Amino acid sequence: MLLAVFMFSFGDATGKFIVATYSVGQLLWLRACAALLLLAPLIWRNRNSFAKIEQPRLQFVRVLLSTSEVASFFLSTSYLPLTDVVTYYLACPIFVTALSAIVLREPVGRRRWTAILVGFVGVLIALRPSAQTFSWSALIALNGSFSFAGLMLTTRQLRQTPDVVIVTLQFIGSFLLGALLAPFGWLTPTPRSLFLFAAAGMISVCALVCISRSLKLAPASAVAPYQYSQIFWAVIFGFVAFGDVPSPATLAGAVIIIGAGLYIFLRERKLRLDEFRLRPQDLAVTGQTQNTQPASKGVSDRPD
């Protein structure tokens, strides 16, 4: 997971460097071309999986969200420092929890709602809303973060879809939007730029493979917190490559967002462990198992 976050951060910095010269549409199209070429052997090997895709409508919604997310990210980086954009994206787990309660009707108690509100305060601090600092670029970055949260929710509903199908459809969405936008303001890439376009696509594929592998080696609850290391790389790459120095407000907002996100993560993990401990006792009552350990005292059945 740490390697995946590093590669995503490196790919993000590469994309920001590219959009300083080329359009976002051109980046999306050529990046997707490189990624799909790299995925071609896996696509061919798993071609039967594409013939029976589950929930086509939800898959379509997921592709729209993933395309909106990646376009918003690179468009916002063309105007904002990399650290600012990543800070808004760090709020994604907070948005996911809030949307899970609102859209999926999942129970979220007062403690996590409090953490959600604290996280939104962190977003406002980083956003610095005022007549001088409130901008469309910041709203675009926030739209990317919300789109990414929606992407996570829809992915949760498509657990049975093979990874290669999920990833391929994601890049197909970028390919189509890039092909639509690329002709506007097209610049013929130099050989050096073509290498950067290809590197951006291949790095993103390798990062997705690393994430998939990490989730097969360990539970998601064990590797998820490492995603917050992205802010470290954003600061490093932003300073080294672009000379960006994050403002105190951005860093303060990032700390609050990370703190709220980690609290939500740890709270949800505790609730899952408490639920797991309760199961043997429930089974013992029904006579389905014996010699089980009693559940922890003081465990509330109200999720909070």
Side-chain angles (χ1 to χ4, degrees), residues 221-242:
S221 60
V223 298
Y226 295 104
Q227 297 178 34
Y228 288 113
S229 63
Q230 187 176 8
I231 189 65
F232 170 78
W233 294 116
V235 172
I236 296 298
F237 287 129
F239 178 75
V240 172
F242 310 104

Side-chain angles (χ1 to χ4, degrees), residues 121-199:
V121 170
V123 172
L124 289 175
I125 292 174
L127 188 60
R128 304 184 301 279
S130 67
Q132 289 75 30
T133 60
F134 199 72
S135 64
W136 282 107
S137 52
L139 291 179
I140 291 171
L142 280 176
N143 174 73
S145 182
F146 275 113
S147 297
F148 191 62
L151 177 63
M152 295 298 100
L153 287 179
T154 53
T155 303
R156 184 188 301 178
Q157 305 302 308
L158 298 170
R159 299 185 187 93
Q160 304 304 318
T161 304
D163 292 343
V164 64
V165 175
I166 285 284
V167 174
T168 300
L169 292 178
Q170 201 164 323
F171 280 111
I172 287 176
S174 297
F175 176 89
L176 293 176
L177 179 63
L180 182 65
L181 298 178
F184 301 97
W186 174 271
L187 290 176
T188 302
T190 64
R192 177 171 173 265
S193 297
L194 280 176
F195 172 78
L196 291 177
F197 282 118

Side-chain angles (χ1 to χ4, degrees), residues 210-267:
C210 284
I211 286 181
S212 177
R213 182 60 179 166
S214 72
L215 293 175
K216 291 178 181 178
L217 291 173
S221 60
V223 298
Y226 295 104
Q227 297 178 34
Y228 288 113
S229 63
Q230 187 176 8
I231 189 65
F232 170 78
W233 294 116
V235 172
I236 296 298
F237 287 129
F239 178 75
V240 172
F242 310 104
D244 295 334
V245 177
S247 67
T250 298
L251 292 178
V255 169
I256 294 173
I257 293 169
I258 291 174
L262 285 176
Y263 178 83
I264 291 172
F265 159 75
L266 292 172
R267 184 62 189 166

Side-chain angles (χ1 to χ4, degrees), residues 8-303:
F8 269 129
S9 301
F10 185 70
D12 294 342
T14 303
K16 178 177 173 59
F17 181 81
I18 291 172
V19 295
T21 304
Y22 300 93
S23 68
V24 173
Q26 197 167 346
L27 169 63
L28 292 179
W29 186 64
L30 292 175
R31 174 177 174 269
C33 286
L36 291 172
L37 283 175
L38 189 62
L39 287 168
L42 291 175
I43 295 173
W44 176 254
R45 185 182 303 173
N46 297 273
R47 58 189 180 278
N48 293 332
S49 301
F50 290 86
K52 45 182 179 181
I53 297 178
E54 63 164 339
Q55 303 186 57
R57 291 183 180 179
L58 190 58
Q59 296 280 5
F60 179 71
V61 172
R62 186 185 180 279
V63 170
L64 290 180
L65 289 169
S66 67
T67 306
S68 171
E69 179 270 319
V70 69
S72 296
F73 182 88
F74 287 120
L75 182 59
S76 59
T77 58
S78 62
Y79 299 102
L80 293 173
L82 190 61
T83 307
D84 289 28
V85 179
V86 169
T87 298
Y88 300 138
Y89 269 71
L90 291 178
C92 178
I94 298 169
F95 298 152
V96 167
T97 304
L99 290 175
S100 296
I102 298 171
V103 178
L104 302 181
R105 304 296 181 183
E106 294 182 357
V108 175
R110 62 185 183 278
R111 296 185 187 182
R112 280 179 288 168
W113 274 118
T114 301
I116 289 170
L117 293 176
V118 171
F120 279 122
V121 170
V123 172
L124 289 175
I125 292 174
L127 188 60
R128 304 184 301 279
S130 67
Q132 289 75 30
T133 60
F134 199 72
S135 64
W136 282 107
S137 52
L139 291 179
I140 291 171
L142 280 176
N143 174 73
S145 182
F146 275 113
S147 297
F148 191 62
L151 177 63
M152 295 298 100
L153 287 179
T154 53
T155 303
R156 184 188 301 178
Q157 305 302 308
L158 298 170
R159 299 185 187 93
Q160 304 304 318
T161 304
D163 292 343
V164 64
V165 175
I166 285 284
V167 174
T168 300
L169 292 178
Q170 201 164 323
F171 280 111
I172 287 176
S174 297
F175 176 89
L176 293 176
L177 179 63
L180 182 65
L181 298 178
F184 301 97
W186 174 271
L187 290 176
T188 302
T190 64
R192 177 171 173 265
S193 297
L194 280 176
F195 172 78
L196 291 177
F197 282 118
M202 293 179 180
I203 289 170
S204 60
V205 171
C206 292
L208 289 171
V209 170
C210 284
I211 286 181
S212 177
R213 182 60 179 166
S214 72
L215 293 175
K216 291 178 181 178
L217 291 173
S221 60
V223 298
Y226 295 104
Q227 297 178 34
Y228 288 113
S229 63
Q230 187 176 8
I231 189 65
F232 170 78
W233 294 116
V235 172
I236 296 298
F237 287 129
F239 178 75
V240 172
F242 310 104
D244 295 334
V245 177
S247 67
T250 298
L251 292 178
V255 169
I256 294 173
I257 293 169
I258 291 174
L262 285 176
Y263 178 83
I264 291 172
F265 159 75
L266 292 172
R267 184 62 189 166
E268 291 177 347
R269 185 179 185 183
K270 181 181 183 300
L271 291 173
R272 285 195 297 269
L273 289 174
D274 289 345
E275 182 184 0
F276 178 78
R277 293 191 190 102
L278 282 169
R279 287 174 186 168
Q281 185 185 46
D282 296 337
L283 291 173
V285 171
T286 61
Q288 295 178 19
T289 186
Q290 297 177 348
N291 300 325
T292 57
Q293 297 294 327
S296 301
K297 294 181 179 180
V299 176
S300 171
D301 57 358
R302 178 184 176 187

